[in-house]
Amino acid sequence: MAIDPLSNARSERRWAFAMVGAAMMMLFAIVWASLSPHMNPPSNIENVDPNTLHIAGEFTEDNLGTQVDAKGRVTTRIVTSQFSFAPECVVVPQDMQVTFRFVSPDVIHGLLVVGTNINTMVVPGYVSQVHTMFDKPGDMLMPCHEFCGLGHSQMVAHVRVVPIADFKPDENGRVACAEH
Amino acid sequence: MNNPADTDPDITDPTLAAHLDEAPSGAFALAGIAVALLLVAWAIIYLFVFLPRGPVG
């Protein structure tokens, strides 16, 4: 009994169809998610000068952390640098749209918030922006996930999600983890 | 190296060819199960972990 090359070719063709079908299924799911519930990777092309972050503009020290603007929008600004986040703890409200804005003055960092879809790189020269809504309160870890140097493993921050009733901005619209 | 004394006398060219001809069905079954498990795992994570966490873009 000889090996039937035609039979093998048919089998391999069927396998190829199955694999293309599997890939198409995943592609369809990703395209559907991006078009219907608008689940896209964070995308924001916005330049910033990493040399002057700390001197002027949006990311000076007194402007970091969570702030509620006049229209009620919640924005959290964080500077990621070797080997810490500034600030290392931010407060955000539950069940409200929150915008995170990250910059780096030194090297490429990355971050994620455990248990959420927040996951982005922070590249010097660009502002990384993520919009999200937290549906339950709690303290969540936000570690750096891009190796940034010898202290990388110590680089971690916290996102403290509080119920709206406990989210109380001061007269400047600012909310911080530390008690005043 | 191959030693003729180690060769099973029952393995002749025709029987070897017959076994080789059967090989793809077993290989496809194994690969099919492995890939199916992978796809199911992907679908579970996608549907029950990724999607419920909501958009971040």
Side-chain angles (χ1 to χ4, degrees), chain A residues 48-64 78-81 86 103-106:
Chain A
V48 65
D49 184 356
N51 295 308
T52 57
L53 280 181
H54 60 300
I55 299 171
E58 183 184 346
F59 293 93
T60 50
E61 188 177 358
D62 58 359
N63 206 38
L64 299 180
I78 298 175
V79 174
T80 63
S81 56
V103 288
S104 167
D106 44 37

Side-chain angles (χ1 to χ4, degrees), chain A residues 1 6 8 26 28 36 47 107 119 146 154 166 170:
Chain A
M1 186 176 170
L6 279 179
N8 281 352
M26 289 191 279
F28 173 79
S36 182
N47 294 98
V107 299
N119 190 335
E146 177 70 23
Q154 308 302 317
D166 297 336
D170 64 13

Side-chain angles (χ1 to χ4, degrees), chain A residues 13-92:
Chain A
R13 195 161 55 242
R14 280 199 290 269
W15 180 253
F17 277 125
M19 289 304 97
V20 171
M24 294 301 289
M25 185 199 79
M26 289 191 279
L27 190 63
F28 173 79
I30 291 166
V31 171
W32 169 82
S34 74
L35 294 177
S36 182
H38 298 293
M39 295 191 63
N40 304 298
S43 176
N44 182 52
I45 300 174
E46 187 179 338
N47 294 98
V48 65
D49 184 356
N51 295 308
T52 57
L53 280 181
H54 60 300
I55 299 171
E58 183 184 346
F59 293 93
T60 50
E61 188 177 358
D62 58 359
N63 206 38
L64 299 180
T66 300
Q67 190 163 26
V68 185
D69 69 12
K71 293 180 179 174
R73 291 175 301 202
V74 182
T75 305
T76 300
R77 297 177 181 87
I78 298 175
V79 174
T80 63
S81 56
Q82 291 172 315
F83 298 101
S84 65
F85 292 85
E88 290 196 327
C89 177
V90 292
V91 181
V92 294

Side-chain angles (χ1 to χ4, degrees), chain A residues 84-162:
Chain A
S84 65
F85 292 85
E88 290 196 327
C89 177
V90 292
V91 181
V92 294
Q94 182 187 349
D95 296 327
M96 274 182 76
Q97 184 81 13
V98 179
T99 300
F100 283 90
R101 288 169 66 76
F102 303 96
V103 288
S104 167
D106 44 37
V107 299
I108 296 176
H109 298 277
L111 59 93
L112 57 83
V113 178
V114 175
T116 74
N117 275 350
I118 297 174
N119 190 335
T120 187
M121 304 299 294
V122 188
V123 181
Y126 295 90
V127 179
S128 299
Q129 184 167 280
V130 179
H131 305 282
T132 194
M133 191 182 291
F134 297 93
D135 59 4
K136 53 181 179 292
D139 237 18
M140 280 177 278
L141 281 178
M142 183 169 68
C144 178
H145 68 39
E146 177 70 23
F147 183 76
C148 55
L150 289 177
H152 166 70
S153 61
Q154 308 302 317
M155 190 171 164
V156 62
H158 292 262
V159 175
R160 183 172 299 163
V161 184
V162 297

Side-chain angles (χ1 to χ4, degrees), chain A residues 1 3-4 8 11 15 19 22 26 29-30 33 38-40 115-117 130-131, chain B residues 14 17-18 20-21 24 28 31-32 35 39 42 46 50-51 53-57:
Chain A
M1 186 176 170
I3 296 172
D4 179 5
N8 281 352
S11 301
W15 180 253
M19 289 304 97
M26 289 191 279
I30 291 166
H38 298 293
M39 295 191 63
N40 304 298
T116 74
N117 275 350
V130 179
H131 305 282
Chain B
L20 286 175
D21 199 33
F28 284 131
V35 172
L39 284 175
W42 182 88
Y46 190 81
F50 176 71
L51 289 182
R53 286 179 173 182
V56 292

Side-chain angles (χ1 to χ4, degrees), chain B residues 15-30:
Chain B
T15 55
L16 184 63
H19 283 293
L20 286 175
D21 199 33
E22 290 170 6
S25 60
F28 284 131
L30 183 65

